[in-house]
Amino acid sequence: MKSIIFMGTPQFAAPILTSLVQDANYDVVAVVTQPDRRTGRKHKMTMSPVKQVAVENNIPVFQPEKISGSDEMEILINMHADLIVTAAFGQFLPMKLINSVKIAAVNVHGSLLPKYRGGAPVQYAIMNGDHETGVTLIYMVKKMDAGEMLAQRKLAIEPTDDVGTMFEKLSILGRNLLLETLPKLIAGEIKSVPQNEEDVTFSPNIKPEEEKVDFSKSAKLVDAKVRGLRPFPVSYVILNGVRTKLWQVTPLTQTTDLLPGQVVQKTKHELLIATGENGVVSLDRVQPAGKPQMDITDYLNGSQEAFYEGEQVIKL
């Protein structure tokens, strides 16, 4: 039985850890995850999804704010594990730790590397309107997501997919790919492939100012931005002067000569807004600041605004 130190944090990583725990070939000796954070309106201290799995399975948990130079890192090094497996951990690993394992340190990355190195590959794939993404299993090296590739598998992005649904699909894909690949890696039967540096693109973590939707983009890209930031952190616009989260929009086939951000049509049950490239989107589900999310019918019923055709209601 090979020993594994597992490192990960979000829901994407949880099923991968669960599969390793349940597989009789592996002994997960430690789990490293981000510290508990305060979440929600009540700011309740919340465990990461990975920590929840570890606690349920009585696996020792380490939560350093920064693993480099920490006391926890020295403990992990002295475990002399066979493997380190990471999945959306969110921190760089020192080479001293990577080199401490007997076989290899590998990372389950949620993109078709070398495309989208970094912390938000799923978000960028959706926001850029890509039709497919996938999972790549790589050796860990000092440079971010730059290790040689051990295995890769593709997955289609459907027009209705968002980050939540893609995390679920990619997590299962990554789990299966890891379980298929690890025995071959341990047996020395895999020839790794270097990444083509000319094809490298990056997907840095989303900054708050990048959550705003640019309605000068096409209708499809407006929709892609909304889905690429759902269910977290959720995109927004300034709608009639109020910061308003966009939970769901629909890109329409109709066109308009109105300027981006102007009202194309308003009824009791719909609000159509012009986008770039003569496009039109329907605002379907919104959340004005300080209020719960609501469908557009409820929003219009409670709004004091007239929303007349041609009115500039979204600030660019």
Side-chain angles (χ1 to χ4, degrees):
M1 183 182 294
K2 299 300 182 182
S3 59
I4 292 178
I5 296 171
F6 184 85
M7 301 182 173
T9 297
Q11 186 57 42
F12 170 80
I16 299 173
L17 172 58
T18 299
S19 70
L20 292 172
V21 171
Q22 294 175 347
D23 193 307
N25 292 317
Y26 308 111
D27 177 21
V28 181
V29 295
V31 165
V32 187
T33 188
Q34 299 282 25
D36 295 359
R37 306 291 189 195
R38 295 191 182 277
T39 60
R41 290 189 175 185
K42 296 183 178 180
H43 301 288
K44 181 181 178 181
M45 289 297 289
T46 305
M47 295 186 294
S48 74
V50 163
K51 182 179 179 180
Q52 292 175 28
V53 174
V55 170
E56 290 167 4
N57 290 278
N58 299 310
I59 302 170
V61 177
F62 299 87
Q63 297 178 272
E65 195 71 48
K66 184 180 181 183
I67 194 164
S68 180
S70 66
D71 293 339
E72 290 90 341
M73 186 181 80
E74 295 303 320
I75 295 172
L76 295 168
I77 289 173
N78 290 326
M79 287 182 174
H80 303 294
D82 293 302
L83 295 151
I84 289 175
V85 175
T86 68
F89 176 48
Q91 293 188 36
F92 283 101
L93 299 193
M95 289 305 299
K96 184 179 179 182
L97 178 57
I98 291 173
N99 293 332
S100 71
V101 292
K102 298 173 184 176
I103 299 174
V106 298
N107 178 38
V108 183
H109 186 75
S111 82
L112 298 174
L113 289 170
K115 193 172 187 180
Y116 299 137
R117 291 179 184 176
V122 180
Q123 290 90 333
Y124 275 81
I126 297 174
M127 290 191 299
N128 288 340
D130 293 358
H131 297 295
E132 68 176 8
T133 184
V135 171
T136 308
L137 192 63
I138 58 172
Y139 282 124
M140 296 200 70
V141 294
K142 186 174 182 179
K143 194 174 179 182
M144 181 183 64
D145 300 328
E148 294 195 355
M149 299 182 291
L150 301 166
Q152 188 173 82
R153 193 156 294 166
K154 295 180 179 180
L155 180 69
I157 301 175
E158 303 297 337
T160 56
D161 274 323
D162 61 18
V163 173
T165 62
M166 288 307 298
F167 265 14
E168 291 178 10
K169 295 178 185 180
L170 289 169
S171 180
I172 301 305
L173 190 69
R175 177 198 69 186
N176 295 343
L177 187 62
L178 181 68
L179 292 181
E180 291 173 20
T181 306
L182 279 184
K184 300 174 187 175
L185 175 64
I186 293 167
E189 298 172 354
I190 287 184
K191 182 175 176 59
S192 58
V193 178
Q195 296 184 39
N196 186 343
E197 291 294 324
E198 294 181 359
D199 294 334
V200 171
T201 61
F202 294 96
S203 57
N205 290 330
I206 307 295
K207 298 177 182 178
E209 59 267 25
E210 295 170 332
E211 297 166 12
K212 186 177 180 181
V213 181
D214 182 0
F215 265 69
S216 69
K217 302 287 187 182
S218 70
K220 285 188 175 181
L221 285 180
V222 167
D223 170 54
K225 181 69 171 270
V226 172
R227 292 184 292 109
L229 295 177
R230 188 180 70 211
F232 181 82
V234 187
S235 63
Y236 76 94
V237 292
I238 305 301
L239 179 59
N240 272 336
V242 177
R243 182 184 171 112
T244 303
K245 292 183 177 181
L246 298 184
W247 282 91
Q248 184 173 339
V249 303
T250 301
L252 305 179
T253 56
Q254 75 184 81
T255 60
T256 181
D257 291 327
L258 292 172
L259 296 176
Q262 294 182 344
V263 175
V264 175
Q265 183 176 328
K266 180 250 182 182
T267 68
K268 288 184 178 181
H269 304 292
E270 66 179 3
L271 181 59
L272 309 187
I273 305 294
T275 70
E277 299 184 17
N278 303 108
V280 179
V281 296
S282 166
L283 304 190
D284 301 329
R285 195 160 186 83
V286 300
Q287 184 178 7
K291 297 183 178 180
Q293 59 172 291
M294 61 190 77
D295 64 35
I296 199 64
T297 299
D298 291 336
Y299 171 77
L300 292 172
N301 284 341
S303 175
Q304 304 298 317
E305 304 293 336
F307 290 109
Y308 57 85
E309 182 180 333
E311 181 185 4
Q312 188 76 39
V313 293
I314 290 180
K315 183 179 179 181
L316 300 184

